[in-house]
Amino acid sequence: MGSGRTKLNLATTLSIHNLSEEQRLVILTADYFNTAGRLIHRYVPEPIAVSPLGTVEAFVPIEDTRGGTGANFVVEGDAEEAIPEPLIEAVMIGLEVTQSYSFVSRGKAMITPSR
């Protein structure tokens, strides 16, 4: 922030939206990596089926600063048939004294039918 000497910690909610109206999306992984590219946490210990037009979320609390300034999520999904690319967004929110900050970062996923 400002001069670059102050960091603003952010709470992060990762949302994975299944945009298919008919097919389920299976989330295989949602792995969280720190700035150095080291795995911090696996948010999906086993596959999660997301119903048509459904959403799943993962939350990183503001106190969890292990990710650093360049943290990343890597999400893998699968589907029985071709489906629209899911919408993957990270909403980040922080508060510094009387100022609040929020922004959204969109990701992309590659979904391929399993055979």
Side-chain angles (χ1 to χ4, degrees), residues 29-45:
T29 65
D31 293 344
Y32 184 53
F33 294 86
N34 70 9
T35 301
R38 287 190 209 95
L39 178 65
I40 296 172
H41 188 75
R42 292 187 186 275
Y43 279 87
V44 179

Side-chain angles (χ1 to χ4, degrees), residues 56-100:
V56 295
E57 296 175 336
F59 181 70
V60 180
I62 199 165
E63 299 83 18
D64 186 348
T65 60
R66 297 175 298 159
T69 57
N72 296 287
F73 277 97
V74 174
V75 177
E76 285 186 79
D78 197 5
E80 293 180 10
E81 298 179 18
I83 63 171
E85 181 179 308
L87 174 60
I88 300 176
E89 297 178 305
V91 177
M92 291 152 274
I93 299 172
L95 178 65
E96 181 67 28
V97 189
T98 61
Q99 298 282 328
S100 61

Side-chain angles (χ1 to χ4, degrees), residues 16-21 23 25 49-56 86-87:
I16 306 166
H17 307 272
N18 181 2
L19 300 182
S20 173
E21 295 181 16
Q23 299 295 322
L25 165 67
V50 184
S51 60
L53 301 177
T55 302
V56 295
L87 174 60

